[in-house]
Amino acid sequence: MKRNLWLLAVCQGLFLTNNVTFIAINGLVGLALAPRGWMATLPVMGYVVGGALATGLVARTQQRFGRRHSFQIGLAVALGSALLCAQAAVWKDFWLLCFATVVAGYYNANASLYRFAAAELAAPDGREKAVSLVMAGGLLGAVAGPNLAAVTRDWFPVPFAGAYLALAAVALLAMGLMHFIDFAAPPPKRTTTGGRSLAEIARQPVFIVAAVSGALGFGVMNLLMAATPIAMQICSLPFGDIALVLEWHVIGMFAPGFFTGHLIRRFGALPVMGVGLALNLGCIAVALSGVDLHQFLIALFMLGVGWNFLFTGSTTLSLSAYTAEEKDRAQGALNFCIFATLALSSFASGVLVTTQGWRLLNFGSLVPVVLTGAALLWLARRQRSTAAAATV
């Protein structure tokens, strides 16, 4: 079991290497190729729109082929889409780049299920730690992603074409590792669909809050992270500084994975998610204080840790909302909520940072933070009321 979890954690790291490299370069390549400046983050948006569109197909392939084969299909798509991105950069074709990132979204939706697969590889009393450990594998992406973008940026006369080719090699490496992971056998096929309908699952308060907090927490993180490379370039900071900020942001996202599971097991998911929300508020406060390198660095690091607490907590929270035979439709719905929110935040980040500026972008991010806080308080009050009624 430990071998499987560590291999899956490395695959998570390679997935995040792809994501962080995309974040680091897609906005900048988009800014260079886009017909209008406000369209710069459309390639970033394409990645998450593709993820949203692919959630239903991913759920069906997971159900039909099982975890390993479905994950390998996702990695094959990652390989092909990275090569297509490289071709778009060489041809200086903005719309081909957007199309390629939409195709890559299938890999995004597929690999986003690694965290749920981790829970299935662990004993019932160790699911929180398993999810947290695999999430910690993203540390590999924290270091490899920005540095990969920086090192391969000038491999060819066309900026960043080498980075896309390097991502194709990363996908090949992940395909090799995935082959050695022993996933749990899929449940036996049934002539009729087992379990409750998605509508019934989605009416549960715990599912609602898991979906809202996971989607909005990810949305806030993406809103600020996607805009950061563009904001820093507008502020005349060099690409090396952009890579450094993104590296520490992703370290913040995944380094807590070594202990977030312990915190959730000891204090519960909701208190840990509340701390994550407070860190988001701290990030916004620091970002509004100025636009020097250290302010970008501290704000994005706090944003990363806050995201980890919110996202790991929401994932753990969701595990109690469905059974094994309901997992594909429930997990697909959760991922759709996340990707739909990411699509909106990716587009909004480019529009806001290029037309309204970094300051207004941060003020706007307060809206989803407040909504997430309201959802957490609502569920906490319901749980206290239920516990009080049970003791009467």
Side-chain angles (χ1 to χ4, degrees):
M1 182 183 70
K2 288 184 178 179
R3 179 183 67 88
N4 290 329
L5 284 173
W6 280 108
L7 285 173
L8 190 58
V10 174
C11 288
Q12 171 78 7
L14 296 175
F15 167 51
L16 264 297
T17 299
N18 182 92
N19 282 11
V20 175
T21 304
F22 262 21
I23 290 293
I25 69 176
N26 277 357
L28 298 178
V29 177
L31 188 62
L33 301 182
R36 298 287 185 275
W38 61 266
M39 301 168 70
T41 55
L42 283 182
V44 181
M45 178 185 172
Y47 189 47
V48 292
V49 167
L53 295 174
T55 51
L57 180 59
V58 166
R60 288 193 292 274
T61 56
Q62 291 275 334
Q63 190 172 36
R64 180 173 181 181
F65 300 114
R67 291 296 196 199
R68 179 192 290 141
H69 295 305
S70 180
F71 288 153
Q72 293 283 33
I73 292 170
L75 288 163
V77 172
L79 171 62
S81 60
L83 295 175
L84 196 58
C85 284
Q87 187 66 67
V90 170
W91 285 353
K92 294 181 170 47
D93 190 328
F94 177 72
W95 297 112
L96 179 60
L97 177 66
C98 292
F99 173 75
T101 59
V102 171
V103 172
Y106 182 92
Y107 172 49
N108 197 4
N110 193 280
S112 293
L113 297 176
Y114 289 171
R115 68 190 195 278
F116 293 114
E120 296 161 13
L121 291 172
D125 61 349
R127 295 188 304 176
E128 301 93 341
K129 295 179 181 179
V131 171
S132 187
L133 174 64
V134 169
M135 293 287 286
L139 273 176
L140 174 61
V143 177
N147 286 290
L148 183 71
V151 169
T152 59
R153 177 187 183 187
D154 298 318
W155 270 6
F156 299 98
V158 178
F160 298 116
Y164 290 124
L165 292 177
L167 289 181
V170 168
L172 282 173
L173 175 59
M175 289 176 74
L177 294 175
M178 190 66 69
H179 176 75
F180 295 100
I181 302 177
D182 297 320
F183 291 99
K189 298 187 183 300
R190 298 173 180 266
T191 55
T192 59
T193 302
R196 297 165 293 173
S197 67
L198 179 58
E200 188 176 355
I201 296 169
R203 283 196 295 268
Q204 300 171 95
V206 68
F207 185 92
I208 294 170
V209 174
V212 168
S213 58
L216 292 182
F218 220 136
V220 170
M221 188 276 293
N222 189 65
L223 182 72
L224 298 176
M225 181 178 67
T228 294
I230 297 174
M232 293 182 69
Q233 180 164 295
I234 291 172
C235 294
S236 301
L237 293 169
F239 185 77
D241 287 351
I242 295 172
L244 178 67
V245 168
L246 288 178
E247 179 177 349
W248 278 98
H249 168 64
V250 185
I251 288 173
M253 287 175 67
F254 296 103
F258 290 108
F259 57 82
T260 308
H262 296 277
L263 294 176
I264 291 173
R265 190 158 182 80
R266 180 172 179 180
F267 300 107
L270 291 181
V272 171
M273 293 165 74
V275 174
L277 202 65
L279 286 167
N280 276 358
L281 290 172
C283 156
I284 294 168
V286 173
L288 288 172
S289 68
V291 290
D292 291 328
L293 172 61
H294 70 277
Q295 287 156 325
F296 280 110
L297 188 64
I298 295 169
L300 268 289
F301 180 74
M302 293 177 71
L303 181 67
V305 178
W307 172 86
N308 181 279
F309 285 5
L310 274 169
F311 195 63
T312 307
S314 67
T315 299
T316 303
L317 201 62
S318 72
L319 297 176
S320 62
Y322 55 84
T323 64
E325 58 189 355
E326 299 165 351
K327 70 178 183 180
D328 291 319
R329 68 185 76 111
Q331 292 170 7
L334 288 167
N335 272 354
F336 178 81
C337 291
I338 289 169
F339 286 121
T341 306
L342 288 179
L344 178 61
S345 64
S346 296
F347 179 69
S349 66
V351 172
L352 289 173
V353 77
T354 55
T355 62
Q356 304 300 318
W358 178 246
R359 187 174 182 81
L360 185 60
L361 176 69
N362 278 276
F363 275 121
S365 65
L366 288 171
V367 175
V369 170
V370 170
L371 290 175
T372 303
L376 295 180
L377 288 173
W378 174 68
L379 182 60
R381 290 184 64 182
R382 283 187 64 95
Q383 289 181 343
R384 281 198 298 267
S385 298
T386 302
T391 58
V392 175

